[in-house]
């Protein structure tokens, strides 16, 4: 896998044999999560599924930021939760719970597995305070009039562990309002003294206040995964400052390596341009559904892009992936009515090609191409080929996560009434009563079954529930 710290593809060696400990930077739950945010969790889900497929036990931790994330990822300014709570006239905790629920609903629509542990920042204030105390004891932090700051000059290489150099515009101070309480422009807040009207504040050794965003992830990841763990994921926007700050905090406090592999997902763009609220091109999952798309078509689009280059979201591209999803589902249901899936053999060349793709830095575009080879087997006249194709697809889908096996089961289930209609229709055709046969076919269609006549007799398929509207 590619490691952002080494800037190279390196072999994955777990800290503990057979185990993977992974932390995913979670959302700030002050609003709906757009599809760009959700895409990063699709990638993390594929990482988890890949390791589980390879037989590892994966402990996956994701945080929920419900305090401390300042607009613009800097120290000065207002907390995103505070702004949203005032905007929607809700208690910050009620608002956070509502948007966290919506986030999980959307994740489920994208078939993203729930993490082993979901940790809310506001439930871990004592752990953050303890970590800040350690940093003060070790001389990495100092108390100022408006809070506690990390002194970046005490941590050699600050800002350059994942990045080639400290970004220039920050050196020039363009995005940092020079706060006279800070010793250096790059120092960042670990704890902020409460301002009048702050809706979320806690007692601390430094007075009432609230935690910085970066300290949340250091405290919670180490609480659940230990001082050193295997994989830390995030979006490319986390490269600086968030993850550089996490490294400085965790390694400053423990003196041990923090993370063994850093993984950053490139941004999602819309029609080749950045997605911004100001340009009105941000989309949420329900926007895709409103246009008649299955959210899993978006998952496919993410898989087809690969996480190390920007994902270019276009409606046309989404239509292509929806067509692919429909085609796969139809081929799977068709084959499943006449063949039974056989377990994929380790030595199977298609399976081996899939394993080679997915273990090459999670190369999902190549994995999809391999899956197409398995799809091709489904239309073979040989039943053994169709069985093999089904087995391969259900196996591969443990990583792709398109829910193909569950979908196949529901698509090939038939109720007694429809069974009786099919039998009646077979009888009508045998008797040459085509008018009645056509009438029965219409009735079946109304019940949600499409009947086709083939050389081997009538075949049926479930009518897709999804109704495509004009987009
Ligand atoms: Zn984080």
């Amino acid at each position: 896998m590619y490691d952002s710290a080494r800037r190279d593809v390196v072999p994955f060696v777990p800290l503990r044999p057979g185990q993977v400990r992974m932390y995913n930077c979670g959302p700030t739950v002050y609003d709906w999560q757009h599809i760009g945010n959700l895409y990063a969790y699709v990638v993390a889900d594929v990482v988890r599924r890949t390791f589980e497929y390879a037989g590892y036990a994966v402990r996956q931790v994701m945080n929920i930021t419900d305090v401390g994330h300042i607009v613009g990822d800097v120290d000065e300014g207002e907390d995103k939760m505070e702004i949203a709570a005032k905007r929607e006239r809700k208690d910050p905790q009620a608002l956070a719970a509502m948007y966290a629920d919506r986030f999980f609903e959307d994740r489920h629509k994208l078939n993203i597995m729930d993490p082993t542990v979901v940790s809310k920042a506001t439930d871990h204030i004592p752990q953050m305070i303890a970590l800040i105390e350690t940093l003060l004891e070790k001389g990495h932090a100092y108390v100022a009039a408006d809070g506690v700051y990390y002194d970046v000059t005490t941590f050699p290489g600050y800002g350059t562990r994942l990045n080639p150099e400290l970004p220039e515009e920050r050196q020039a101070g363009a995005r940092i309002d020079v706060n006279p309480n800070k010793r250096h422009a790059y120092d960042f807040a670990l704890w902020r003294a409460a301002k009048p009207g702050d809706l979320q504040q806690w007692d601390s050794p430094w007075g009432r206040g609230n935690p910085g965003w970066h300290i949340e992830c250091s405290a919670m990841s180490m609480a659940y995964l230990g001082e050193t763990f295997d994989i830390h994921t995030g979006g490319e926007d986390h490269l600086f400052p968030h993850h550089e700050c996490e490294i400085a905090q965790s390694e400053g406090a423990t003196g041990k390596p923090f993370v063994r592999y850093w993984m950053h997902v490139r941004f999602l763009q819309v029609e080749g341009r950045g997605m911004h609220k100001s340009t009105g091109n941000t989309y949420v999952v329900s926007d895709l559904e409103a246009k008649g798309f299955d959210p899993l078509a978006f998952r496919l689009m993410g898989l087809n892009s690969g996480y190390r280059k920007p994902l270019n979201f276009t409606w046309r591209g989404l239509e292509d992936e929806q067509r692919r999803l429909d085609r796969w589902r139809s081929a799977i249901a068709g084959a499943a009515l006449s063949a039974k899936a056989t377990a994929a053999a380790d030595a199977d060349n298609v399976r081996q090609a899939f394993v080679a793709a997915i273990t090459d830095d999670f190369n999902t575009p190549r994995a999809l191409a391999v899956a197409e080879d398995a799809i091709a087997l489904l239309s073979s006249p040989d039943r053994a080929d169709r069985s093999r194709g089904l087995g391969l697809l259900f196996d591969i889908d443990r990583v792709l996560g398109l829910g193909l096996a569950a979908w196949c089961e529901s698509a090939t289930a038939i109720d007694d009434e429809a069974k009786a209609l099919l039998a009646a229709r077979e009888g009508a055709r045998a008797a040459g009563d085509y008018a009645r046969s056509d009438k029965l076919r219409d009735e079946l269609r109304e019940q949600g079954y499409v009947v086709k006549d083939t050389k081997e007799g009538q075949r049926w398929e479930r009518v897709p529930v999804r109704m495509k509207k004009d987009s």
Side-chain angles (χ1 to χ4, degrees):
M1 65 184 288
Y2 184 83
D3 172 26
S4 307
R6 280 169 277 189
R7 281 155 232 166
D8 199 4
V9 177
V10 291
F12 176 80
V13 182
L15 189 61
R16 302 166 203 218
Q19 292 184 30
V20 173
R21 300 187 155 231
M22 169 167 76
Y23 185 83
N24 310 132
C25 271
T28 302
V29 284
Y30 68 108
D31 205 342
W32 287 87
Q33 298 298 311
H34 58 61
I35 56 173
N37 292 337
L38 284 157
Y39 168 54
Y41 302 106
V42 169
V43 173
D45 188 56
V46 168
V47 172
R48 172 187 173 163
R49 287 167 177 272
T50 298
F51 282 110
E52 287 184 344
Y53 183 87
Y56 288 87
V58 181
R59 183 167 169 82
Q60 182 188 20
V61 178
M62 182 189 70
N63 66 294
I64 295 283
T65 295
D66 54 356
V67 67
H69 195 170
I70 303 300
V71 172
D73 295 359
V74 293
D75 289 335
E76 318 302 323
E78 230 184 328
D79 188 310
K80 291 185 179 186
M81 289 305 307
E82 293 270 332
I83 294 173
K86 285 170 192 162
R87 177 187 75 215
E88 304 194 15
R89 292 168 201 216
K90 275 202 171 82
D91 166 66
Q93 283 309 297
L95 190 81
M98 180 181 83
Y99 283 121
D101 283 351
R102 289 179 178 175
F103 169 62
F104 276 99
E105 279 167 27
D106 283 348
R107 281 175 61 106
H108 295 155
K109 285 177 184 173
L110 292 168
N111 214 19
I112 300 171
M113 293 167 82
D114 286 344
T116 327
V117 176
V118 176
S119 63
K120 256 168 53 186
T122 52
D123 289 339
H124 297 80
I125 303 293
Q127 288 88 337
M128 298 174 204
I129 289 175
L131 187 55
I132 297 169
E133 285 185 311
T134 304
L135 290 170
L136 282 164
E137 277 163 29
K138 297 205 168 181
H140 287 298
Y142 58 94
V143 180
D146 59 351
V148 183
Y149 290 94
Y150 194 102
D151 180 340
V152 298
T153 61
T154 66
F155 191 78
Y158 169 77
T160 59
R161 295 285 290 273
L162 306 172
N163 298 275
E165 56 186 16
L166 280 171
E168 278 294 331
E169 82 269 22
R170 286 171 193 266
Q171 281 176 356
R175 281 188 63 194
I176 294 179
D177 299 322
V178 180
N179 177 341
N181 294 307
K182 284 187 191 181
R183 290 181 188 161
H184 317 97
Y186 282 108
D187 290 356
F188 55 92
L190 301 168
W191 187 262
R192 274 190 304 274
K195 293 195 194 82
D198 270 2
L199 298 171
Q200 302 191 95
Q201 42 176 290
W202 291 265
D203 283 324
S204 81
W206 321 286
R208 286 186 73 74
N210 36 61
W213 174 40
H214 315 304
I215 200 74
E216 298 179 1
C217 282
S218 278
M220 291 189 282
S221 60
M222 293 197 293
Y224 291 103
L225 298 171
E227 292 176 338
T228 303
F229 56 90
D230 296 297
I231 300 172
H232 193 314
T233 74
E236 64 175 303
D237 51 329
H238 291 149
L239 280 163
F240 191 89
H242 187 49
H243 288 165
E244 294 282 359
C245 295
E246 280 191 43
I247 294 170
Q249 292 167 156
S250 294
E251 300 195 357
T254 69
K256 295 176 189 160
F258 176 42
V259 166
R260 291 160 61 84
Y261 302 87
W262 284 95
M263 190 170 174
H264 293 92
V265 181
R266 296 292 306 272
F267 278 147
L268 176 145
Q269 302 178 332
V270 175
E271 311 281 351
R273 294 166 58 215
M275 188 168 62
H276 297 293
K277 277 202 174 128
S278 57
T279 46
N281 64 353
T282 59
Y283 299 113
V284 295
V285 169
S286 59
D287 292 329
L288 313 188
E289 291 177 303
K291 285 183 183 264
F293 291 100
D294 186 321
L296 290 174
F298 174 67
R299 183 177 174 109
L300 255 178
M301 182 182 241
L303 297 175
N304 200 26
S305 174
Y307 80 96
R308 275 177 58 207
K309 67 181 179 71
L311 164 59
N312 188 22
F313 175 88
T314 65
W315 290 107
R316 213 194 175 126
L318 192 61
E319 275 167 26
D320 288 345
E321 295 303 346
Q322 180 70 59
R323 268 195 293 275
R324 187 208 301 249
L325 187 62
D326 292 344
R327 176 168 56 80
W328 281 20
R329 286 173 165 177
S330 169
I332 287 168
L337 290 171
S338 65
K340 232 177 135 116
T342 48
D346 285 353
D348 191 293
N349 60 337
V350 173
R351 187 180 179 278
Q352 283 185 344
F354 173 74
V355 170
I358 206 72
T359 56
D360 177 13
D361 194 27
F362 314 100
N363 192 330
T364 47
R366 222 169 86 207
L368 287 185
V370 176
E372 292 285 7
D373 292 342
I375 289 286
L377 288 168
L378 300 181
S379 52
S380 163
D382 184 346
R383 185 194 295 252
D385 282 346
R386 300 199 294 273
S387 291
R388 178 176 156 237
L390 285 171
L392 282 165
L393 281 161
F394 295 156
D395 182 62
I396 286 171
D397 196 44
R398 285 160 56 204
V399 175
L400 300 182
L402 298 166
L404 296 177
W407 187 86
C408 180
E409 201 171 302
S410 74
T412 53
I414 183 159
D415 62 36
D416 290 344
E417 201 183 333
K419 250 187 217 162
L421 287 171
L422 279 168
R425 185 169 180 274
E426 209 166 63
R429 285 183 63 78
D433 186 350
Y434 295 107
R436 182 167 152 70
S437 154
D438 286 352
K439 194 169 160 285
L440 286 164
R441 182 173 58 196
D442 293 345
E443 265 180 60
L444 279 156
R445 168 102 209 173
E446 259 168 54
Q447 304 226 351
Y449 301 89
V450 185
V451 185
K452 285 177 200 155
D453 296 305
T454 71
K455 277 183 212 146
E456 296 155 46
Q458 56 183 6
R459 282 271 179 82
W460 61 272
E461 239 177 65
R462 291 292 283 270
V463 178
V465 182
R466 185 181 58 85
M467 287 297 170
K468 186 92 167 62
K469 292 176 202 152
D470 291 329
S471 52

